[in-house]
Amino acid sequence: MLLQMQLIHEISNLKNLVKHAEVYNQDLENELSSKVELLREKEDQIKKLQKYIDTQKSENVNMDLSYSSENIQDLKQMKQTLFDAEAVALDAKREAACLRSENLELKEKMKELASACKQMENDIQLYHRQLDLQRDQLAFSSLPPTA
């Protein structure tokens, strides 16, 4: 009876653990989706900036080399923005890969926990059947003999 209660308690704990793992997994998936979206936005920004820089380069060939310091500063700032956006995109890719990996690990752990929970439920059913069998045998052996 104590073993049965322990198993029931352990199954309950495992079910709660699985439930919390599913919630955490969903949170990770949501975070991954937002990181992927951020990555897409940053990649679009990189493309636009690269296009702008390419346009500026082609215009530079046709223009006089007498840039004002303001134009040069703007160009430097855009170039730095491009580098920053590329760095953010790279970081987002790395973080997305880590989140995918962690997500896969959690899914595998959830499968293991669900399997352990199922095995414990099967064990409880077996113990119930054994207990019922023993009760029946005890009740049968305690019956008075029939004449």
Side-chain angles (χ1 to χ4, degrees), residues 44 71 82 98:
D44 288 344
N71 287 340
L82 174 64
C98 288

PDB file of all heavy atoms in Angstrom, residues 44 71 82 98:
ATOM      1  N   ASP A  44      17.131  42.012 -43.404  1.00  0.00           N
ATOM      2  CA  ASP A  44      16.546  42.972 -44.347  1.00  0.00           C
ATOM      3  C   ASP A  44      17.237  44.333 -44.227  1.00  0.00           C
ATOM      4  O   ASP A  44      17.540  44.983 -45.234  1.00  0.00           O
ATOM      5  CB  ASP A  44      15.037  43.136 -44.105  1.00  0.00           C
ATOM      6  CG  ASP A  44      14.230  41.928 -44.552  1.00  0.00           C
ATOM      7  OD1 ASP A  44      14.765  41.098 -45.314  1.00  0.00           O
ATOM      8  OD2 ASP A  44      13.065  41.818 -44.127  1.00  0.00           O
ATOM      9  N   ASN A  71      29.028  64.479 -45.271  1.00  0.00           N
ATOM     10  CA  ASN A  71      28.723  63.302 -46.080  1.00  0.00           C
ATOM     11  C   ASN A  71      29.626  62.136 -45.704  1.00  0.00           C
ATOM     12  O   ASN A  71      29.177  60.988 -45.642  1.00  0.00           O
ATOM     13  CB  ASN A  71      28.869  63.623 -47.575  1.00  0.00           C
ATOM     14  CG  ASN A  71      27.748  64.492 -48.092  1.00  0.00           C
ATOM     15  OD1 ASN A  71      26.693  64.561 -47.482  1.00  0.00           O
ATOM     16  ND2 ASN A  71      27.990  65.169 -49.206  1.00  0.00           N
ATOM     17  N   LEU A  82      25.790  49.203 -40.497  1.00  0.00           N
ATOM     18  CA  LEU A  82      25.795  47.936 -41.223  1.00  0.00           C
ATOM     19  C   LEU A  82      26.563  46.871 -40.437  1.00  0.00           C
ATOM     20  O   LEU A  82      26.085  45.756 -40.261  1.00  0.00           O
ATOM     21  CB  LEU A  82      26.415  48.120 -42.609  1.00  0.00           C
ATOM     22  CG  LEU A  82      26.623  46.850 -43.415  1.00  0.00           C
ATOM     23  CD1 LEU A  82      25.280  46.189 -43.732  1.00  0.00           C
ATOM     24  CD2 LEU A  82      27.382  47.147 -44.699  1.00  0.00           C
ATOM     25  N   CYS A  98      21.077  27.844 -30.498  1.00  0.00           N
ATOM     26  CA  CYS A  98      21.101  27.347 -29.111  1.00  0.00           C
ATOM     27  C   CYS A  98      19.692  27.018 -28.629  1.00  0.00           C
ATOM     28  O   CYS A  98      19.481  25.988 -27.980  1.00  0.00           O
ATOM     29  CB  CYS A  98      21.743  28.381 -28.189  1.00  0.00           C
ATOM     30  SG  CYS A  98      23.517  28.544 -28.389  1.00  0.00           S
TER      31      CYS A  98
END
